[in-house]
Amino acid sequence: MQKEWTAVGGPIVLGIESSCDETGAGIVRDGKLLAHVVASSMDEHALFGGVVPEIAARAHLQAFNPVVREALDQAGLRLGQIDAVAVTTGPGLSGALQVGLAGAKTLAYAAGVPLYGVHHLAGHVAADTLEHGPLPTPCVVLIVSGGHTSLLLVRDLVREPILHLGDTLDDAAGECFDKVARIMGLSYPGGPAIDRAAREGNPRAVDFPRPLTRPGDDPYAFSFSGLKTAAARWVEKHRAQGIDLPVADGAAALQEAVADVLTRKALAACAAYEVKTLIVVGGVAANSRVRGLAEQRCAAAGVELRVPPMTLCTDNGAMIAAVGDLLVQSGAEPAPLDVSIDPSAPLEYASLTPLPQAGAGVRAA
């Protein structure tokens, strides 16, 4: 049975994130962030040029308890004062998700509170609420990360189904950055490395393609595999001819192509659905050119742009707690005791167990 809230005000929700290489714990109450702690195993993965699932799972095991303790200390709370636990149940790396779910179940059982299974991408959407308040209804959300690129129409995040306007058909934007950075000899993760290198480059130096932007193409779908290949061939051509690779120019041109495609399609969706707010979330939302071009184009179109702080763009437990906070206050049913992970969970609802009224009469605008 769900216990009564511990004090005047809304429930205190502890969020756990472990879908990839960050172990995150966050605490949220009434949409306010009380604690935000992340431990990353990125340095270990950098030795291999990408995330190694077994290393990630072991790192989560080592970091879980310290991260949760630090979050409770940061908020000035004891575990017994927590009213609910929310945890990422998918998508993500199987072993990594298992560690987070097992730990979250233990915490919920020890505290005698309900557990909520949360979709990782819904967490990214909710991260913006911790900085800017409730989501406008409706809003267009652009999710851009290492594994995901999606354009969504969101109304009530926890009560209504999430409408996918478009998704990536192959490589995600962040994946493109990672792979091209490796080809160029830059460090992992590729996104920040490309961003740093691009500061000294000319974005017009290389005419990289803008995938799926021609008339007749799907207006909201994404594809970055061809762009990755074009960048690889550009690098190979320079090396075959024995010419020094102008890394800064290549990085700037690649970044410009990605930012152009992302923001062009996002603003087209806002216009088509008559939405006045664009929210950009996910790790690639920290990219300076993606942010800068989004600001320019939103200002020109009269669209409000909302982007979370960089610390909330990458994977973290605070965003999962933010979804949990919304679920608890909306009266959502907790996850069943036998809740399990879904490494390839499609984004349909924010929760594993949607509210009974979810989806009633909801249509695309």
Side-chain angles (χ1 to χ4, degrees), residues 267-314:
L267 267 297
C270 289
Y273 287 87
E274 299 182 348
V275 172
K276 291 300 182 182
T277 304
L278 170 64
I279 299 174
V280 183
V281 297
V284 179
N287 179 271
S288 63
R289 186 53 182 156
V290 170
R291 283 176 174 250
L293 193 55
E295 288 173 1
Q296 294 173 24
R297 290 181 168 173
C298 282
V303 172
E304 178 192 12
L305 175 66
R306 292 177 32 161
V307 186
M310 290 189 182
T311 56
L312 292 176
C313 285
T314 52

Side-chain angles (χ1 to χ4, degrees), residues 67-335:
V67 164
V68 171
R69 281 197 300 268
E70 185 175 345
L72 290 169
D73 289 345
Q74 198 176 97
L77 297 169
R78 302 182 308 277
L79 181 60
Q81 293 175 283
I82 297 297
D83 296 296
V85 176
V87 60
T88 301
T89 53
L93 302 175
S94 178
L97 290 168
Q98 289 282 15
V99 173
L101 178 58
K105 283 183 175 181
T106 301
L107 292 172
Y109 181 80
V113 299
L115 176 72
Y116 293 84
V118 171
H119 196 287
H120 175 77
L121 296 184
H124 278 301
V125 178
D128 183 72
T129 67
L130 299 176
E131 178 71 11
H132 299 115
L135 297 175
T137 303
C139 59
V140 168
V141 179
L142 175 64
I143 299 179
V144 275
S145 66
H148 306 277
T149 304
S150 296
L151 198 54
L152 313 172
L153 183 66
V154 177
R155 292 186 172 89
D156 187 314
L157 181 63
V158 299
R159 290 181 180 274
E160 300 185 30
I162 296 166
L163 176 62
H164 286 247
L165 302 178
D167 297 283
T168 186
L169 303 179
D170 40 59
D171 289 356
E175 185 179 1
C176 177
F177 280 151
D178 284 340
K179 290 179 178 178
V180 176
R182 182 188 302 179
I183 295 167
M184 289 182 175
L186 298 174
S187 61
Y188 175 85
I194 291 286
D195 204 350
R196 288 191 298 269
R199 294 170 190 166
E200 306 299 324
N202 176 7
R204 297 180 179 83
V206 189
D207 187 21
F208 284 137
R210 270 59 170 170
L212 294 182
T213 57
R214 295 174 299 181
D217 288 339
D218 188 322
Y220 309 128
F222 299 95
S223 170
F224 293 104
S225 179
L227 176 58
K228 173 199 66 182
T229 300
R233 288 177 177 169
W234 176 79
V235 172
E236 291 166 0
K237 180 180 178 180
H238 279 77
R239 289 176 177 162
Q241 296 176 352
I243 303 172
D244 288 341
L245 185 68
V247 173
D249 286 346
L254 177 75
Q255 183 172 264
E256 188 69 21
V258 171
D260 181 22
V261 171
L262 292 173
T263 57
R264 188 188 306 191
K265 288 177 176 281
L267 267 297
C270 289
Y273 287 87
E274 299 182 348
V275 172
K276 291 300 182 182
T277 304
L278 170 64
I279 299 174
V280 183
V281 297
V284 179
N287 179 271
S288 63
R289 186 53 182 156
V290 170
R291 283 176 174 250
L293 193 55
E295 288 173 1
Q296 294 173 24
R297 290 181 168 173
C298 282
V303 172
E304 178 192 12
L305 175 66
R306 292 177 32 161
V307 186
M310 290 189 182
T311 56
L312 292 176
C313 285
T314 52
D315 295 348
N316 62 85
M319 68 186 196
I320 304 304
V323 178
D325 180 48
L326 293 172
L327 289 169
V328 174
Q329 300 207 51
S330 296
E333 287 294 321

Side-chain angles (χ1 to χ4, degrees), residues 3-4 10 12 28 32 47 56 99 114 126 143 149 195 207 250 272 285 316 330 339 353:
K3 69 177 185 179
E4 295 183 0
I12 300 173
V28 170
K32 303 299 182 184
L47 300 173
V99 173
I143 299 179
T149 304
D195 204 350
D207 187 21
N316 62 85
S330 296
V339 60
T353 49

Side-chain angles (χ1 to χ4, degrees), residues 29-86:
R29 182 181 204 176
D30 285 333
K32 303 299 182 184
L33 184 58
L34 305 182
H36 171 38
V37 180
V38 176
S40 176
S41 57
M42 187 180 298
D43 289 346
E44 296 178 66
H45 302 293
L47 300 173
F48 302 92
V51 176
V52 180
E54 292 79 4
I55 292 176
R58 185 170 64 246
H60 288 307
L61 280 170
Q62 295 170 342
F64 187 91
N65 285 337
V67 164
V68 171
R69 281 197 300 268
E70 185 175 345
L72 290 169
D73 289 345
Q74 198 176 97
L77 297 169
R78 302 182 308 277
L79 181 60
Q81 293 175 283
I82 297 297
D83 296 296
V85 176

